[in-house]
Amino acid sequence: MYAVIGGSGLSQLPDFEITRRQVQRTPYGEPSGALTMGRLAGREVVFLARHGYGHTIAPHQINYRANLWALSQLDIEGIVAVASVGGIRPDLKPGQLIVPDQIIDYTHGRAATFFEGENQAIQHIDFTWPYDAALRALLCQAADAAGEQVVQGGCYACTQGPRLETAAEVRRLARDGADIVGMTGMPEAALARELDLPYAHLALVVNQGAGVGDSAQAISHAQISKTVQAGMASVMGIIKSLVQLHED
Ligand code: HPA
């Protein structure tokens, strides 16, 4: 069974036939909400809204450990993490989909590991390639089958938020080699790796980054809302095709 973590613009899955909701207690506190189990395109899927079902939990306040631990209690084959991002590379315009292959973490003060606490052996997970290669490939194949174009590969910068970046910060991210910027990819991806859960991002560019192209003077929230609506339909097409591909 695949898990889908929905971000901004995807706090529920359209066409998802919900069969039950499971409130999962964890040693790390409360997840963002109950795990929603159901069928999508005839296949079993579990869904969790990262920001809560009412979109009330800010990126730095999400209990990433509880979310990942809760999912790890189920028989999960992989996690598709949906994210809305800003485009840093000038060719990454609103509406474009991207499956990144690298991450740079600029967050701070988030509970970012399961390997801490008394009597816990320290472990240093390998994170050279932060996303699961097979799941990334499957997402790209699913996009193809769904007739959606995705940019394959790219570097996701994770900022602390909740504010958007300054133009100078985005210039710095570009110099660092980042292609897209979001606020929730970390520590989510690292925690998934700690639990050995295959994890990949399906990112939708909803705006150009601060100071870039159309966002030279400001980032338009009206534009973002419009892009999210149309873009999430494409995201859903890819996810449906992924779950079908896998079991066919
Ligand atoms: N910056 C950070 N996170 C984001 C952005 C952005 O421009 N757009 C959507 N999420």
Side-chain angles (χ1 to χ4, degrees), residues 84-87 159 163-165 170 181-183 204 206-210 219 224:
S84 296
V85 297
T159 56
R163 67 167 176 83
L164 293 162
E165 296 71 39
V170 168
V181 54
M183 300 175 187
L204 170 69
V206 295
N207 60 276
Q208 290 189 281
I219 290 174
I224 290 181

Side-chain angles (χ1 to χ4, degrees), residues 10-179:
L10 197 71
S11 46
Q12 49 197 8
L13 293 182
D15 304 332
F16 189 39
E17 297 162 43
I18 297 171
T19 48
R20 76 193 164 91
R21 290 192 170 79
Q22 182 170 326
V23 176
Q24 183 76 53
R25 307 224 169 276
T26 89
Y28 305 97
E30 297 269 315
S32 297
L35 302 178
T36 311
M37 344 277 282
R39 293 181 83 77
L40 187 70
R43 311 296 202 273
E44 261 203 283
V45 167
V46 53
F47 178 75
L48 178 63
R50 188 186 280 123
H51 297 279
Y53 292 96
H55 202 267
T56 51
I57 311 172
H60 62 293
Q61 291 176 321
I62 291 166
N63 191 340
Y64 295 97
R65 289 197 299 188
N67 287 353
L68 273 291
W69 195 91
L71 290 174
S72 76
Q73 299 307 292
L74 305 173
D75 191 13
I76 298 285
E77 287 162 80
I79 299 175
V80 176
V82 179
S84 296
V85 297
I88 297 178
R89 232 166 60 196
D91 61 308
L92 292 175
K93 299 264 172 58
Q96 265 173 319
L97 293 159
I98 173 164
V99 177
D101 62 358
Q102 276 298 331
I103 296 177
I104 302 178
D105 186 8
Y106 298 90
T107 66
H108 49 85
R110 302 183 181 188
T113 181
F114 291 108
F115 301 131
E116 63 181 13
E118 269 177 61
N119 303 324
Q120 263 268 27
I122 296 171
Q123 287 192 45
H124 302 287
I125 51 158
D126 175 64
F127 209 43
T128 311
W129 293 98
Y131 297 106
D132 184 79
L135 186 52
R136 287 187 57 251
L138 209 58
L139 267 173
C140 295
Q141 199 188 333
D144 231 22
E148 298 288 349
Q149 289 216 332
V150 292
V151 175
Q152 300 193 22
C155 180
Y156 173 107
C158 191
T159 56
Q160 177 74 354
R163 67 167 176 83
L164 293 162
E165 296 71 39
T166 66
E169 286 169 337
V170 168
R171 285 200 301 272
R172 173 196 174 203
L173 298 180
R175 285 195 302 274
D176 283 355
D179 300 301

